[in-house]
Structures are given as structure tokens and as C-alpha cells.
Amino acid sequence: MIIDEFVQAFNKIKQLGWVKSKRRGPTGIGYTLERLLGLSENNIALPDLGEIELKAHRIGSSTMITLFTFNRKVWKMNPLQAIRKYGTLDAQGRLGLYFTMSRTPNSAGLFLFVEEQRISIRHISGEVLAEWQLSALAERFQKKIPALILVSAFSETRKDEEWFLFDRAQLLSGTSPDILRSQLISGNVLVDLRLHDKISHARNHGTGFRAYVEKLPWLFNSVRDL
């Protein structure tokens, strides 16, 4: 489906008013939108950007998504040493660093430190565990999500069935180090550490950069209503 076809189809969906979800659970909104659009996959084609992702969300929801992961050559402290020094036990009894990092120190004394051109995970003692250049993060984000169509819908439950009123579609594209910095400072982008002790080494599932779906438009240079 190309962008013009999407706009025409979405306008028809809006005219339907409230529609019953075609699947129960959190994925119901995306699945319902895809079925109404006649899509087998949720990609839309843009002439200058190729295929881009289609994302639907419930207005007022606090759902978060992972924008990208970035772990290569960022650790200033040996990861296994960091786990053994600051880690906690998980549900499986493994020692690990499974923390969602913000600018407020957590129970282990770790926090997200934001500077002009870089961010880092630090301990309140001043020790630096990992560090990222904001320019590299913006490049990674741009490569992973060059553009996105974000569809917003109202949701309500009627007799144990969810119904949607599709309200708005926005085309989001482009980002910058300054944008990411401001969103990290405001807490709209959070950093997930996801690694544990494998005895001989640290098993790292990739440091995740996550954002609230509701606030995705704030992460892009260009926001256009469709």
C-alpha cells in the first residue's frame, strides 16, 4: 500500500465510527487496523523512504515500545564486573542488571547522566558504567525507524469486548541528537539495561532505548497529519 492509498483507506475507516476489535488483548488494535486496511503486513510504502512501519495505539495508554538497541563498544566498565558490583537477583536466581534507567538514582545507586553531546550510566560515587554519544544514538534511531505512521484511536469496553474509534494518523520522520537529548531529560525516553551473570561472561540482551507510544511525535523532526 502506498501513502495515498493509506490516506484514502484510513478516511473510510474513520467514517465507520466505532468498530469491534477483531482480536482480544493488547495486539487487538494493530490487528484490527491491519484487517480494516486490507494489509497482510503492517508496512506502508513511501516514495522517498521505502517501506515504513505502521503503529496503532490507544489514546491515553502508557504503553512503551523499544525504539532500538545499542550496546557495541559503550561499556567503560567490564560488564561482568558491573553486574557483580551493582546487580540484583532476578526471578531465576541469576545476578543481573535488569534496570530501567532514568535521571533519578535507583536502589543500586545507578542513574542516567545526560550531557550536551553524550549520555552515560553512572553510580552516585561517580563511576561510569557505559557511555553513548548522542550523535550515534540519533544515527541508530534514524536507521532503525526512518519514518513511522502513528495511528491513534479511542478505546472502550462493551460487554467484555473492546471497541475502537480510529481518530488520527500522523506521519513521523527524522530526528536529531538535540531531540533525543531533550526527550531523555524529560523522561520520555528511558534506557533499559538487560544483562546477567553467566559465570564466565556477561550475557547481554542489548541495551534498549524505549519510549512512550503516546509521545512518539516528540521524537521526530517532522510530524504531519494524514
Side-chain angles (χ1 to χ4, degrees):
M1 177 177 284
I2 62 174
I3 192 70
D4 290 342
E5 292 172 336
F6 168 81
V7 172
Q8 293 178 17
F10 185 69
N11 284 333
K12 291 180 180 178
I13 291 172
K14 288 175 66 177
Q15 292 171 10
L16 294 175
W18 288 92
V19 294
K20 187 167 71 172
S21 178
K22 299 182 182 297
R23 174 187 288 173
R24 289 181 178 272
T27 61
I29 186 169
Y31 183 80
T32 301
L33 180 61
E34 289 171 16
R35 298 287 77 78
L36 292 173
L37 290 170
L39 293 174
S40 57
E41 297 182 359
N42 69 345
N43 286 338
I44 310 295
L46 283 177
D48 54 343
L49 293 171
E51 286 195 345
I52 66 171
E53 187 178 351
L54 173 66
K55 180 70 178 177
H57 82 105
R58 298 163 177 84
I59 294 172
S61 169
S62 59
T63 301
M64 298 189 76
I65 64 167
T66 298
L67 303 170
F68 57 90
T69 58
F70 196 135
N71 196 60
R72 188 179 180 185
K73 297 181 179 180
V74 302
W75 285 88
K76 302 300 180 184
M77 184 178 183
N78 180 282
L80 187 56
Q81 181 185 352
I83 292 170
R84 292 177 178 175
K85 189 170 184 178
Y86 299 118
T88 58
L89 294 176
D90 65 13
Q92 286 75 45
R94 303 175 304 188
L95 191 63
L97 288 175
Y98 287 93
F99 296 132
T100 296
M101 304 305 307
S102 69
R103 297 173 68 211
T104 302
N106 64 12
S107 58
L110 302 177
F111 66 100
L112 181 67
F113 187 69
V114 182
E115 300 177 87
E116 286 294 326
Q117 297 181 357
R118 61 189 177 184
I119 66 169
S120 55
I121 302 298
R122 300 189 177 200
H123 186 260
I124 53 176
S125 66
E127 189 166 36
V128 179
L129 280 68
E131 182 179 273
W132 297 261
Q133 296 296 316
L134 284 165
S135 58
L137 292 179
E139 182 179 347
R140 177 70 170 171
F141 183 24
Q142 183 73 25
K143 184 176 180 180
K144 186 72 174 179
I145 309 178
L148 172 76
I149 293 178
L150 179 65
V151 172
S152 305
F154 294 99
S155 167
E156 68 177 35
T157 302
R158 305 176 185 174
K159 297 181 180 179
D160 295 327
E161 297 282 356
E162 189 173 18
W163 289 70
F164 302 113
L165 179 65
F166 290 96
D167 179 66
R168 187 180 194 185
Q170 297 169 290
L171 175 61
L172 316 177
S173 61
T175 193
S176 71
D178 286 342
I179 288 176
L180 289 183
R181 180 178 180 274
S182 69
Q183 296 308 299
L184 284 158
I185 289 174
S186 64
N188 295 333
V189 174
L190 299 176
V191 182
D192 277 358
L193 296 180
R194 303 182 290 207
L195 61 161
H196 66 265
D197 190 338
K198 287 283 286 184
I199 308 302
S200 62
H201 65 281
R203 173 70 171 92
N204 199 323
H205 298 278
T207 303
F209 288 77
R210 297 199 301 153
Y212 294 97
V213 179
E214 184 99 290
K215 298 176 180 177
L216 279 176
W218 298 1
L219 300 180
F220 293 86
N221 277 319
S222 174
V223 179
R224 178 164 65 91
D225 283 315
L226 297 176

